[in-house]
Amino acid sequence: MLRIATLLGLSSLALLAEDGSGVNINAVIMFFVFIAGTMGITKWAASKTKSASDFYTAGGGITGFQNGLAIAGDYISAASFLGISGMIYLQGYDGIIYAIGFLVGWPIILFLMAERLRNLGKFNFTDIAAYRLDEQKIRILAAFGSLTVVTFYLIAQMVGAGKLIEVLFHIPYGWAVALVGALMIIYVTFGGMLATTWVQIIKACLILAGVTFIALMVMAHSGFSLTALVTEATSLHKSGVDILKPGPFVSDPVSAISLGLALMLGTAGLPHILMRFFTVGNAKEARKSVVYATGFIGYFYLLIGIVGLGSIVFLNSDIGKELYLSAEGSVIGGVNMVAVHLSQAVGGDIFLGFIAAVSFATILAVVSGLTLAASNSIAHDLYAIVIRKGNITDAEEMKVSKRTVLVIGFIAVLLGFAFENMNVAFMVGLAFAIAASANFPILILSIYWKKLTTRGAFIGGFVGLITAITLVVLSKTIWVDIFHFEKAIFPYVHPALFSVTAAFVAIWFFSITDKSARAEEDKAGFEAQNIRAQTGIGAEGAVSH
Amino acid sequence: MKENLVERIEANPKYQELLKKRDSLALKLGIFVLVMFYSYITIIAFNKELFATKVWEDGVTTIAFPIALAILVISFITTLIYVRRANGEFDDLTNEIKKDVKDYI
């Protein structure tokens, strides 16, 4: 079955590729090598994936170092590599604000959550909130939160992947997106978390090496002088020296603070990232993985600054203009493609093939992780626990999971098609805002606040989620750019400041006014929960025996 | 978890010591990172021009760049500090607590 799917995928890709003119043969070959390699991993992982624990958490057998790389891999996604370099190309320093916000979430996760997540959970972060609260209600709430976040994140990744293939193979965007969807479904349904993690690890190594090479070449061009690079970039960019300071993305104080809040707290509410704390054997490895992840991500963002400045220099040079810009001066394939163009400018066709293939593998691995998190929510939280009340076998649950993956894959393709022209890093910013509003408050309060009750969490969680989505829809991004209304109802582009506050206030209010018997039970469970969170005593662990 | 186990662990001075030490470290480092990040964001929000100051008078590079670099490096160092203590001192304490109550689990 797997082999047939692989063959079908490859041959259709080859057929489509031949249609276009000016196809980059090296890139095509690199693509095939990568797809074949990752399929090999999937096949191996499929043979090892037997239980639901294997499927969701790779059996807990990943080491801290490996997991750190895999987390970095989830992070160095299309949004970071393609999106942030595109942002720096367009707006200069503003792209760097995103990079810093994404990174700073990590220490906070480590200090406040990593350990307790690990000690309290089994498959996903919902386990933590469900520990002492009414499980049914919390699972319903968390599933809504997770699915919304995953949807926004998926859109960003699908758009990135679609554009990449469109530019490289000259095949229509719609086909490109469909191809990504098909491959993703194969990875996840057959290989589960183990395949997803290994694809992520390998690709993290390759992309770190690739970005290092680009940065070195850019620096060599400037004689290894950062000043020379910066000077040349400002002389070529239409905004001149303004690219060296914070600019239009953070036009007003409210938006700036709101964005900062979303980037930082959102990290701590991303279901596919939090899931990674359950793929390691114990709390020690969980902590180590955060250090490695922070190191790799920090190193990557350091280089992406150079890549962004380099793209300004190389794409706006006389040769660059001819090759990569249209007559009106816009980037061919959209601004998300600047890093890919730059890789050809510094490393020729073979390196372009390498970077394109790695970016593509990146997107595939990230969408696979996202899809797994979503299917975890639907199959585990909603179906197994809420509908079947836990009376379900592993085999049955996995079957539902895999079917869910199919549906999500299909929806992802449709959404990727609908949101073709979004900046992918910006879209991820919105996913972060929703994660910060819907998932983070519940998670942090269930860990730390004794007086949290089911009613407070349930109502407050939905308040956060609904406020975030409503404000996003009413903001310029959707209301004006997608629906084409004249003026946005919500004046700021980043909703987090308002929606996070709304969530916390609602959770607090509906918890302290809760006088039900369930509320007493919720509060009474805190001591035992805290002991397990602090020491791990009573945790069964995700390790398969 | 058994009721008497909860009481027993809570009464264990090592458990109290663990909570105190870990919470204090996490709080200090957490507040440090939050203050650092929000100072950065607040300056961007209210006084962008401050970041437009030149590093060298005759150059073009603004101080916004070294500041960004510093935040990346400091963030990493804070995680390192926390994990060194958690994987050593705090884990030792946890293991001692587990040993103390192992008959009750």
Side-chain angles (χ1 to χ4, degrees), chain A residues 93 244-245 287 527 534, chain B residues 10 22 49 62 64 69 87:
Chain A
Y93 194 77
L244 300 179
K245 59 175 192 182
R287 291 185 212 113
E527 304 302 332
Q534 298 277 4
Chain B
E10 289 211 311
R22 185 159 56 201
E49 293 306 317
T62 56
L69 175 65
N87 280 4

Side-chain angles (χ1 to χ4, degrees), chain A residues 115-175:
Chain A
E115 169 133 39
R116 292 155 218 243
L117 270 177
R118 173 64 230 176
N119 286 337
L120 288 174
K122 189 180 169 202
F123 287 161
N124 62 26
F125 78 93
T126 322
D127 298 338
I128 288 95
Y131 189 86
R132 67 185 159 108
L133 305 182
D134 179 357
E135 186 161 19
Q136 309 275 329
K137 282 194 172 155
I138 292 302
R139 300 264 175 206
I140 293 173
L141 165 70
F144 274 97
S146 295
L147 290 175
T148 315
V149 173
V150 165
T151 306
F152 274 89
Y153 219 105
L154 258 180
I155 294 172
Q157 305 296 338
M158 294 303 280
V159 171
K163 284 283 161 199
L164 194 65
I165 303 187
E166 185 189 25
V167 169
L168 232 62
F169 292 104
H170 301 269
I171 60 175
Y173 176 80
W175 277 102

Side-chain angles (χ1 to χ4, degrees), chain A residues 98-391:
Chain A
Y98 270 72
I100 288 182
F102 286 146
L103 185 90
V104 170
W106 277 106
I108 298 298
I109 290 188
L110 175 69
F111 307 149
L112 299 180
M113 284 160 58
E115 169 133 39
R116 292 155 218 243
L117 270 177
R118 173 64 230 176
N119 286 337
L120 288 174
K122 189 180 169 202
F123 287 161
N124 62 26
F125 78 93
T126 322
D127 298 338
I128 288 95
Y131 189 86
R132 67 185 159 108
L133 305 182
D134 179 357
E135 186 161 19
Q136 309 275 329
K137 282 194 172 155
I138 292 302
R139 300 264 175 206
I140 293 173
L141 165 70
F144 274 97
S146 295
L147 290 175
T148 315
V149 173
V150 165
T151 306
F152 274 89
Y153 219 105
L154 258 180
I155 294 172
Q157 305 296 338
M158 294 303 280
V159 171
K163 284 283 161 199
L164 194 65
I165 303 187
E166 185 189 25
V167 169
L168 232 62
F169 292 104
H170 301 269
I171 60 175
Y173 176 80
W175 277 102
V177 169
L179 183 75
V180 178
L183 283 168
M184 168 194 91
I185 290 169
I186 295 171
Y187 285 148
V188 179
T189 47
F190 292 100
M193 192 59 162
L194 190 60
T196 305
T197 302
W198 275 103
V199 170
Q200 203 59 279
I201 291 171
I202 291 166
K203 155 247 133 162
C205 296
L206 292 172
I207 203 159
L208 285 170
V211 173
T212 306
F213 177 75
I214 299 179
L216 278 176
M217 294 302 282
V218 168
M219 289 310 287
H221 165 85
S222 314
F224 289 95
S225 156
L226 211 52
T227 312
L229 175 67
V230 171
T231 311
E232 198 178 352
T234 52
S235 70
L236 288 168
H237 199 282
K238 66 175 181 341
S239 304
V241 289
D242 279 352
I243 59 167
L244 300 179
K245 59 175 192 182
F249 272 165
V250 280
S251 45
D252 59 282
V254 174
S255 286
I257 293 168
S258 200
L259 173 69
L261 202 65
L263 295 180
M264 185 176 214
L265 303 183
T267 310
L270 290 177
H272 70 295
I273 300 276
L274 296 175
M275 246 179 119
R276 292 225 168 267
F277 289 110
F278 306 112
T279 61
V280 290
N282 52 48
K284 197 174 228 142
E285 296 298 316
R287 291 185 212 113
K288 275 191 204 162
S289 48
V290 177
V291 179
Y292 287 120
T294 315
F296 290 129
I297 298 167
Y299 172 73
F300 174 81
Y301 283 150
L302 197 66
L303 296 185
I304 210 75
I306 297 172
V307 171
L309 289 173
S311 67
I312 296 174
V313 170
F314 279 78
L315 267 58
N316 286 298
S317 68
D318 290 341
I319 309 168
K321 271 184 187 152
E322 211 169 284
L323 285 174
Y324 308 118
L325 303 186
S326 69
E328 305 89 53
S330 59
V331 181
I332 293 173
V335 75
N336 295 325
M337 283 303 111
V338 297
V340 178
H341 292 321
L342 178 65
S343 65
Q344 186 179 32
V346 299
D349 277 353
I350 293 182
F351 188 64
L352 166 72
F354 174 79
I355 283 295
V358 174
S359 315
F360 180 67
T362 296
I363 294 165
L364 269 182
V366 174
V367 293
S368 301
L370 284 168
T371 308
L372 208 54
S375 92
N376 191 327
S377 280
I378 294 175
H380 183 66
D381 291 341
L382 285 185
Y383 186 73
I385 295 179
V386 176
I387 296 176
R388 296 281 296 268
K389 314 274 183 220
N391 300 317

Side-chain angles (χ1 to χ4, degrees), chain B:
Chain B
M1 203 180 289
K2 294 175 210 149
E3 271 310 305
N4 60 352
L5 180 66
V6 172
E7 281 164 26
R8 192 160 268 274
I9 294 176
E10 289 211 311
N12 190 324
K14 284 174 198 153
Y15 178 68
Q16 297 302 332
E17 188 190 342
L18 174 72
L19 293 201
K20 213 175 123 197
K21 280 188 173 165
R22 185 159 56 201
D23 286 351
S24 132
L25 178 67
L27 198 68
K28 277 184 207 149
L29 289 174
I31 288 176
F32 175 75
V33 172
L34 280 171
V35 168
M36 175 178 74
F37 179 62
Y38 276 100
S39 312
Y40 173 73
I41 291 290
T42 312
I43 292 171
I44 289 173
F46 292 101
N47 190 0
K48 283 182 199 174
E49 293 306 317
L50 191 64
F51 277 175
T53 315
K54 304 270 186 288
V55 181
W56 298 284
E57 267 184 23
D58 51 344
V60 288
T61 314
T62 56
I63 58 163
F65 284 87
I67 287 174
L69 175 65
I71 296 178
L72 291 185
V73 174
I74 293 171
S75 297
F76 174 69
I77 292 172
T78 57
T79 64
L80 212 60
I81 294 170
Y82 181 84
V83 170
R84 277 187 79 104
R85 281 198 61 194
N87 280 4
E89 194 185 340
F90 301 158
D91 263 4
D92 293 343
L93 267 173
T94 308
N95 287 333
E96 283 173 37
I97 298 165
K98 281 184 185 161
K99 214 160 40 180
D100 288 349
V101 298
K102 79 172 185 305
D103 298 338
Y104 289 84
I105 298 175

